[in-house]
Amino acid sequence: MNFGASCRRMSGRQEKAQPRSRSTRGAALRPRLPVLVQFLKFGIVGVSNTLLTFAVYTLLLKVFGVWYLAASAIGFGVGAVNGFLLNRRWTFRGHVGDALTPVRWTIVQGCGLALNEGLLYLLVHDARLDKLLAQALATGVVTVCTFTANRAWTFRTHPSMAVVDGDA
């Protein structure tokens, strides 16, 4: 806090506003960088999940004739397990897990599965899109939603507590 500037404002003396330095602007961008890096890592893991999910989905749908919603759910489950293992080890490495981390992941993925199945049904049944195209569109929406939920809840990191003067 700048007490000198506060006192001058209170006394009515005007000061010329100082332009922001480049380092101040850079500092404002720094907090966003870790989120961007995490999102990119989550996206890379997501690509592997998506490839695995689509491989299982296509195999079950085209080769074994499994109903498209069941094939999607099975593929989603395989991708979710892959995603948990990779995200826990790489994307959210700074997260100190507890016994509830897999439970939170399962809840988020369950909600993602419900969203995926709902979107897939609407896109295939009501919008009459091709089943593979519909799955690709649903996957995009679900990826953004599950990243947000996993970052905020499943793999949240607890900020270190600030030391107040005199508490040290």
Side-chain angles (χ1 to χ4, degrees):
M1 178 173 243
N2 187 344
F3 290 108
S6 297
C7 292
R8 283 189 292 277
R9 278 194 297 272
M10 290 172 65
S11 69
R13 288 191 291 178
Q14 296 292 324
E15 283 187 16
K16 203 166 145 183
Q18 297 294 322
R20 270 188 155 175
S21 70
R22 288 183 191 253
S23 63
T24 306
R25 281 180 280 178
L29 294 176
R30 272 186 232 123
R32 295 183 200 149
L33 189 59
V35 176
L36 180 61
V37 169
Q38 277 185 332
F39 187 74
L40 290 173
K41 286 180 175 182
F42 191 83
I44 292 167
V45 170
V47 167
S48 74
N49 296 345
T50 301
L51 292 173
L52 194 55
T53 298
F54 268 93
V56 171
Y57 177 70
T58 304
L59 181 72
L60 292 174
L61 182 71
K62 300 293 185 181
V63 176
F64 294 105
V66 174
W67 183 46
Y68 74 101
L69 290 177
S72 176
I74 294 167
F76 192 96
V78 171
V81 170
N82 179 65
F84 177 75
L85 298 173
L86 292 177
N87 280 310
R88 186 174 192 182
R89 293 272 182 198
W90 186 49
T91 307
F92 301 106
R93 186 179 14 207
H95 167 72
V96 178
D98 57 21
L100 294 177
T101 300
V103 173
R104 288 190 297 268
W105 175 267
T106 302
I107 291 169
V108 169
Q109 293 308 109
C111 292
L113 175 59
L115 178 60
N116 183 78
E117 293 289 293
L119 288 172
L120 183 60
Y121 179 82
L122 290 173
L123 292 171
V124 169
H125 185 262
D126 294 344
R128 306 239 185 253
L129 292 180
D130 175 74
K131 292 172 183 158
L132 294 176
L133 175 61
Q135 181 65 64
L137 293 173
T139 298
V141 172
V142 171
T143 298
V144 172
C145 293
T146 57
F147 169 76
T148 303
N150 280 314
R151 185 173 195 287
W153 188 49
T154 306
F155 296 110
R156 69 181 180 267
T157 55
H158 300 285
S160 58
M161 297 179 64
V163 176
V164 178
D165 290 340
D167 286 352

